[in-house]
Amino acid sequence: MSIQEVLQRTNNLHHLLKLQQSPSEKHLSKAVDLTSMTTSVWQHRDRGSITSHGVGVVALKSPTRYSSWPQGSPTDGDYIQYGTVTGYKTLNRLDWAGYNRIIFTICSNDVNVINSNVTVAFKNDGVVKIPDKYMRDGFHSINLANDHKPHQYHLDISDLPRDAITEISFSSAANGSYMNMPGKIDIEISDIILGVTQNSSKNVGWRPTDGVIIASQLGYDQHGRKSILVSDNVPEASFEVIDQSTNRIVLDGKLTKQSVDGRQLFSGDFSELSQPGKYEIRVSGCRPETVQILPSNKIWSESVLDSLNFIYSQRCGAPVPGVHGTCHTDVFAEHNGMTVPFNGGWHDAGDLSQQSMQTGEVALSLLEVSSVYQKEQPAFAARLEEEAEWGLDFILKTRFGDGYRATSAGTSRWTDNQIGNFDDVRARTHNSAYDNFLFAGIEGKAALVTNNTQLKRVLTQAAISDFEFASAVFMEHPYKREPIMWEHTYNTSKSSYDSTIAWTAAVLFKLTHDDTYQQKAISAGKRLLTYQERGGITVNGRVVKGVFYRDETHTVFQHFNHQSREHLFAFALAELIKITTADEQQLFKDGARMYGDYLLWLQQYTAPYPMISSGLYFDDEQQDKDSFHIQHLLTDATAESEYGKQLQKGIKIADHLYVKRFPVWFSFRGNNGILLSTALGAATLGDVLHDAQLRQLAENQLYWIAGENPFGKSLMLGLGHKFDDLYAVSSGPQVGALPVGIETRDDEDAPYWPQFNNATYKEVWISNSGRWLSVIATLLKSSSKEKQQ
C-alpha cells in the first residue's frame, strides 16, 4: 500500500496504524504445570488485593487511582504511579534450567485502563542473582488484549538465570484512567506451564543463529553497500540471489569468512546489484531471506511513515484516537508569579514524562524530513510539517520570556486533569545557558526550514532572544552544569557546549545575516578545535586523529552512553565551513576531515557488522570523578571499579588505551540513540566533505537497526517481518516505535538483546525516532544535491 493510500485510509494519519504481530515459536516438545512443582499459595504485596483459587489461579484487583502515594515514594510524586498490585508465589529454589519457555493464560477485565498490562517477574538465588542490582533483568512487561477473553502468552526464558528460582510474581500498576473516569484493574492469571521448544532464540554475542540469513528488513539503497551475514556453520561458502519477478538467478556470490571478537561468521556482498526489485537470497542450510532494493528516495519512506505514526501516538495534551483523551492538563510550571501549562509536545518514553529538549529536537527532525518530501509527496510532507508544528508550539509556549523556561516533568501516570489536588505535577524551570543556546539553534534552524511565514517570524524572534539570554548567563557562569540529573542535557561537556554555541551562532548568521553571529560562531569553533586530538595518537603504527575530548586537558574522551548529541560536533564544523572563507575555512575543514576519518577508522572493530564502535577510552578516566558521575547516572559505589572490568572486555590498542564496541555503561543501557547521533554526524560530514564513505557509514547504522544485527531482528516495532515486543506500558505498543537499543550483559562488550522487555534497553523512546528521521533527511538531501550537480 502506498503512502498516499495509507494517508487516505487513516484520515491523514490521525488514526494509528495497526500492528501486525511478528511470528513467534509456540510448539512445545515437553511441558509441565507449575502446580505440580509446588504447593505454595499465592500471596499479596503492595496495593489492591488478590484472590486465588488453589495454587494455580490468581487475580489482581485494584482501583486505578489512589488518594495517596505508595509507601516510600517521593512526596512530590516525581516519576511514580499510584501504586502496584502484586500477586506472588514463593518457590523453593526450583531448578528450571531444563526449560526454555514459560506459558500462562491471562484474562483482562480492566475498566477504563488506558493500556492494560501486567509485569511478570522472577527471583533467582543461584549462580547469577535475579533481579540484578539495577533492577533491569528478571522483569517482562506484557501488553494485554483487554477483551474479557483468556489469551495464552509465551515467554522465552532462554537467557533467564533459573537454576534456583525462589519467586514468581505478576503485577499491574495503577497509573490513572481514561479521562479520569472510575476505573479498575481486574486481571486473572492461570495455567502456568513450563515447557521446552526445539529452538532457543539467539540473544547474546556476535555469532548469528545457525540457519538464519541476516539482512536489512528495510531493504537496501540501490547505489550503496548490500550484504548478508550467516553463521560459520553452513555446508557451502556460497550464496545465490534470485530475482523474484523472473525467478532467475542474477548473482552467484562467495561467502567470506570473518570474525568479530573471535566469533566466526560468513559475510556475502551483493553491492553490484542495483536494479530495484525484490530478491530472494539463498544459502545452503539456511531459510531463504527476501530483501528489496530501492532508489534512495523510496527506501526510507515506510520507516518515515511508521516513525511519524509513533510520534503522533505520543502526543501529550490532546486526544490520540484509540489511546487516550486529553491528558496532563494539571502539569504546569511556575516562575516569577506566572504559571504555564506544561502539556503538549510528546511524551518522552515508555513513561509519561515530558522533556522540552526532546520535543524540540523531534519537532526539528520532522520539519527537516518534511522538506525532502515536498516535491514528490506533498501530502506526506504536509502531514509531517503539521506534526512538527505541534512540537514547536510546545517549546514556544513554555518560554517565560526572560531566559527561564519549563524544561521537564517526571511522571509515569495519567493525572486526573484537575488542578489543585495532590496528583498535580510541577514541571522544572531553569534559566540554563546551554539549554537556551541549543533551543536557539533548534528555533533558528526550524525558521530556515519552515514554509509557515508566521511561524518563521516567531521562531526567529525566539531564537534571537534565547541566544541573548544564553549569552548573558554564559558570560557570568561559563559552562555551568545543569542543576538536576533528570535534565537530559546533564552530561554536557565543554566540547559539547562549544559545538552547540558554534552551530547555533552559525544558524543565526544564516537566518539574520548579522556578522556578530558569524564571529561568535568562529570563536566557539576555534575553542572546539582545542578539544580535538589534532596531533595524533599512534595505534599499531597508525596515527589516529580527530577524536574529541571533554575539554582542553585531553584527559577524558568525549563519550555518550544514553543521551547522545555527538552529531553537534559535525553540525558545528559543517556550518563553520559554510560561513567562513580562506584560512579559517580550511582550519574547520581539516577538523571535519580528521573527525570523519576517526569515525571511519572505528568501523574495523565491528566489521562485517554495520554498527560503529563506541570509541576510544583511557583506562583511568574513572579517576576524573567530576566528569565520571555526570556521565553515568544512578550508579552505586562499584561503578568506578566496574569501569576497569568493562574496559578489559574491550580491545586494548596501546598502553592505557582501549576501543569499546559498546559504551561503558551501568544502569542506562542500549545504544540506538548513540548510533543514530553518530550516524547523523557522519551523514552531515559526508555531505559537506562530499565523502560517500561517511554517508555509507550513516546508512549502515540504519541497517543495523533494521535487522542487520546478530539477532536478525528489526528493532523498529512493526517494520519488517521479525521484531520483538517493546516496553511501552503507558500508551501501548505502536507501529514505528524505536527502543533505547541493544545492550550488553554484565561487563561484556558484545551485543545482548534479551527476550524479556524492560527499561531501558527495550523501552520506547521518542528521541530515537527523531534521530532516525534526521539521519534520513540528511542522507536524502545529500543525495538530491549530488543528482543536481
Side-chain angles (χ1 to χ4, degrees):
M1 188 179 295
S2 70
I3 288 179
Q4 185 61 39
E5 290 171 324
V6 172
L7 293 176
Q8 291 174 350
R9 183 171 56 85
T10 60
N11 188 24
N12 210 24
L13 200 57
H14 290 96
H15 294 286
L16 296 171
L17 302 177
K18 293 190 180 299
L19 179 65
Q20 302 298 317
Q21 292 296 328
S22 185
S24 59
E25 171 67 59
K26 293 189 175 182
H27 176 70
L28 299 179
S29 58
K30 74 172 183 175
V32 59
D33 194 308
L34 182 61
T35 57
S36 67
M37 293 184 168
T38 178
T39 58
S40 64
V41 298
W42 290 99
Q43 300 178 68
H44 170 249
R45 187 161 55 217
D46 307 321
R47 298 275 205 176
S49 63
I50 68 167
T51 59
S52 61
H53 307 290
V55 296
V57 181
V58 62
L60 313 178
K61 298 180 183 294
S62 172
T64 55
R65 189 183 304 280
Y66 290 87
S67 58
S68 63
W69 301 128
Q71 186 176 3
S73 298
T75 57
D76 61 358
D78 191 45
Y79 278 109
I80 62 172
Q81 299 157 330
Y82 299 102
T84 300
V85 55
T86 302
Y88 71 96
K89 182 186 285 286
T90 300
L91 303 175
N92 188 24
R93 299 177 59 84
L94 296 180
D95 185 355
W96 290 358
Y99 304 95
N100 61 14
R101 293 292 187 277
I102 187 167
I103 302 99
F104 34 79
T105 298
I106 301 179
C107 180
S108 175
N109 299 294
D110 288 349
V111 176
N112 289 326
V113 172
I114 289 177
N115 178 54
S116 296
N117 64 88
V118 69
T119 295
V120 56
F122 305 89
K123 290 183 180 180
N124 189 66
D125 193 32
V127 176
V128 177
K129 309 297 182 186
I130 293 296
D132 66 303
K133 64 182 176 181
Y134 294 116
M135 302 298 286
R136 304 299 192 189
D137 291 337
F139 303 90
H140 180 73
S141 176
I142 304 168
N143 298 298
L144 303 176
N146 187 35
D147 57 5
H148 313 290
K149 298 177 182 178
H151 295 269
Q152 193 177 72
Y153 296 88
H154 289 232
L155 177 57
D156 187 336
I157 58 172
S158 301
D159 56 356
L160 174 72
R162 55 194 187 281
D163 55 332
I165 297 290
T166 60
E167 182 181 293
I168 181 173
S169 67
F170 292 88
S171 61
S172 188
N175 73 334
S177 60
Y178 189 88
M179 295 303 293
N180 197 36
M181 298 298 289
K184 69 174 182 178
I185 295 169
D186 186 356
I187 298 170
E188 184 178 273
I189 302 101
S190 62
D191 299 326
I192 304 174
I193 297 169
L194 290 168
V196 179
T197 60
Q198 188 172 6
N199 298 316
S200 293
S201 299
K202 165 78 179 178
N203 54 62
V204 66
W206 295 102
R207 188 178 180 275
T209 301
D210 289 344
V212 175
I213 298 172
I214 289 174
S216 166
Q217 295 178 36
L218 183 70
Y220 290 95
D221 187 335
Q222 69 177 124
H223 299 302
R225 176 196 68 86
K226 309 169 193 71
S227 68
I228 59 165
L229 299 167
V230 295
S231 77
D232 59 342
N233 187 25
V234 291
E236 298 177 19
S238 61
F239 69 100
E240 296 177 338
V241 182
I242 294 92
D243 186 336
Q244 288 194 335
S245 65
T246 63
N247 203 32
R248 302 175 74 174
I249 297 173
V250 293
L251 186 145
D252 278 311
K254 297 295 183 184
L255 295 174
T256 303
K257 199 163 195 176
Q258 303 197 42
S259 66
V260 184
D261 197 21
R263 274 60 176 180
Q264 303 295 316
L265 68 158
F266 279 110
S267 67
D269 186 271
F270 58 105
S271 301
E272 65 188 82
L273 288 181
S274 60
Q275 179 63 36
K278 286 190 175 181
Y279 298 86
E280 184 175 271
I281 299 178
R282 296 175 184 170
V283 176
S284 180
C286 297
R287 293 188 296 272
E289 180 73 12
T290 298
V291 300
Q292 59 182 348
I293 297 175
L294 292 168
S296 57
N297 66 332
K298 292 184 179 179
I299 183 174
W300 312 114
S301 299
E302 180 186 351
S303 71
V304 171
L305 179 69
D306 289 354
S307 298
L308 173 61
N309 180 81
F310 172 67
I311 292 169
Y312 170 62
S313 79
Q314 299 304 300
R315 273 196 184 188
C316 174
V320 177
V323 182
H324 62 80
T326 300
C327 65
H328 297 115
T329 58
D330 51 353
V331 181
F332 55 91
E334 296 177 320
H335 166 65
N336 200 24
M338 295 181 291
T339 302
V340 300
F342 196 70
N343 65 337
W346 303 284
H347 297 132
D348 173 60
D351 59 21
L352 295 167
S353 61
Q354 168 62 277
Q355 296 279 340
S356 299
M357 189 62 72
Q358 308 279 71
T359 284
E361 291 175 318
V362 171
L364 179 57
S365 72
L366 285 161
L367 206 57
E368 289 182 311
V369 80
S370 168
S371 68
V372 302
Y373 286 105
Q374 282 178 354
K375 288 185 178 179
E376 293 186 4
Q377 301 192 64
F380 189 30
R383 179 63 185 87
L384 287 159
E385 184 158 8
E386 175 200 339
E387 199 63 29
E389 290 182 4
W390 174 260
L392 293 171
D393 176 83
F394 178 77
I395 67 168
L396 290 171
K397 83 173 186 180
T398 50
R399 299 172 69 251
F400 282 99
D402 61 354
Y404 281 83
R405 66 194 314 143
T407 55
S408 63
T411 182
S412 294
R413 60 189 181 272
W414 302 101
T415 55
D416 65 8
N417 289 331
Q418 299 172 2
I419 298 173
N421 57 14
F422 92 108
D423 85 331
D424 294 350
V425 179
R426 300 292 179 93
R428 306 172 186 106
T429 60
H430 302 298
N431 183 8
S432 162
Y434 182 76
D435 283 2
N436 278 327
F437 276 131
L438 186 47
F439 273 117
I442 292 168
E443 293 155 350
K445 184 69 173 180
L448 288 169
V449 177
T450 184
N451 293 311
N452 184 325
T453 304
Q454 183 178 14
L455 182 60
K456 179 184 182 74
R457 183 165 56 249
V458 172
L459 287 167
T460 300
Q461 292 172 337
I464 292 170
S465 295
D466 286 342
F467 192 90
E468 290 175 357
F469 295 139
S471 297
V473 174
F474 184 75
M475 286 183 64
E476 189 172 349
H477 303 288
Y479 308 107
K480 184 179 180 181
R481 183 184 302 165
E482 293 285 358
I484 185 170
M485 60 163 279
W486 292 119
E487 300 296 349
H488 281 197
T489 51
Y490 185 69
N491 68 350
T492 302
S493 64
K494 288 181 75 172
S495 57
S496 295
Y497 218 119
D498 278 321
S499 66
T500 303
I501 296 173
W503 172 66
T504 295
V507 166
L508 291 183
F509 172 63
K510 293 169 72 173
L511 183 64
T512 67
H513 309 292
D514 183 340
D515 292 345
T516 304
Y517 293 117
Q518 183 186 39
Q519 294 310 309
K520 287 181 181 292
I522 292 170
S523 295
K526 289 180 177 178
R527 293 197 301 273
L528 176 61
L529 293 182
T530 68
Y531 312 133
Q532 189 179 35
E533 179 57 63
R534 300 176 67 81
I537 302 170
T538 301
V539 177
N540 297 326
R542 174 176 173 175
V543 177
V544 177
K545 302 179 182 180
V547 60
F548 283 95
Y549 298 89
R550 288 186 65 85
D551 59 31
E552 70 278 8
T553 66
H554 290 202
T555 56
V556 177
F557 291 111
Q558 176 63 64
H559 307 297
F560 297 94
N561 58 67
H562 184 57
Q563 276 280 343
S564 178
R565 293 185 173 84
E566 185 174 1
H567 58 274
L568 288 169
F569 296 135
F571 276 19
L573 293 169
E575 293 300 335
L576 287 163
I577 290 169
K578 295 172 186 176
I579 67 168
T580 53
T581 57
D583 292 344
E584 284 182 329
Q585 184 184 66
Q586 191 59 50
L587 179 68
F588 296 120
K589 190 174 286 187
D590 289 344
R593 182 67 269 168
M594 282 188 272
Y595 180 46
D597 287 344
Y598 166 68
L599 296 180
L600 293 172
W601 173 78
L602 284 175
Q603 289 184 108
Q604 64 185 294
Y605 296 103
T606 51
Y609 285 102
M611 185 196 90
I612 189 172
S613 295
S614 173
L616 288 170
Y617 288 76
F618 288 128
D619 63 4
D620 61 354
E621 290 185 20
Q622 77 278 23
Q623 295 177 18
D624 187 352
K625 299 190 189 308
D626 182 61
S627 71
F628 187 80
H629 290 289
I630 67 170
Q631 292 182 72
H632 304 290
L633 308 181
L634 300 180
T635 58
D636 63 12
T638 65
E640 292 179 26
S641 63
E642 287 179 4
Y643 174 87
K645 294 177 183 177
Q646 290 194 38
L647 280 197
Q648 293 298 320
K649 297 294 185 177
I651 309 158
K652 188 172 184 178
I653 57 173
D655 288 343
H656 309 293
L657 189 63
Y658 290 78
V659 165
K660 285 279 283 136
R661 299 179 177 94
F662 288 85
V664 170
W665 47 20
F666 302 96
S667 179
F668 291 87
R669 298 192 180 204
N671 72 340
N672 278 350
I674 304 159
L675 297 180
L676 289 168
S677 182
T678 304
L680 181 53
T684 301
L685 293 175
D687 180 50
V688 74
L689 298 174
H690 308 291
D691 188 323
Q693 285 184 295
L694 283 167
R695 291 196 295 269
Q696 184 64 65
L697 176 63
E699 202 167 56
N700 285 350
Q701 309 317 301
L702 304 183
Y703 291 148
W704 165 271
I705 292 171
E708 204 175 326
N709 53 63
F711 316 109
K713 291 181 179 179
S714 167
L715 305 186
M716 181 178 285
L717 192 63
L719 183 71
H721 58 84
K722 192 176 183 183
F723 46 84
D724 285 345
D725 291 334
L726 301 179
Y727 182 82
V729 294
S730 296
S731 298
Q734 305 297 340
V735 169
L738 277 174
V740 174
I742 290 173
E743 60 168 344
T744 58
R745 185 168 61 183
D746 301 324
D747 296 325
E748 300 296 323
D749 194 27
Y752 177 42
W753 191 234
Q755 298 304 310
F756 286 24
N757 67 41
N758 193 23
T760 57
Y761 54 97
K762 283 192 179 178
E763 183 176 11
V764 300
W765 195 14
I766 197 81
S767 175
N768 284 345
S769 297
R771 293 281 189 268
W772 178 273
L773 295 179
S774 291
V775 175
I776 290 170
T778 306
L779 289 171
L780 290 179
K781 287 176 185 176
S782 184
S783 175
S784 178
K785 283 195 294 186
E786 276 200 344
K787 291 176 182 177
Q788 293 172 7
Q789 291 173 352

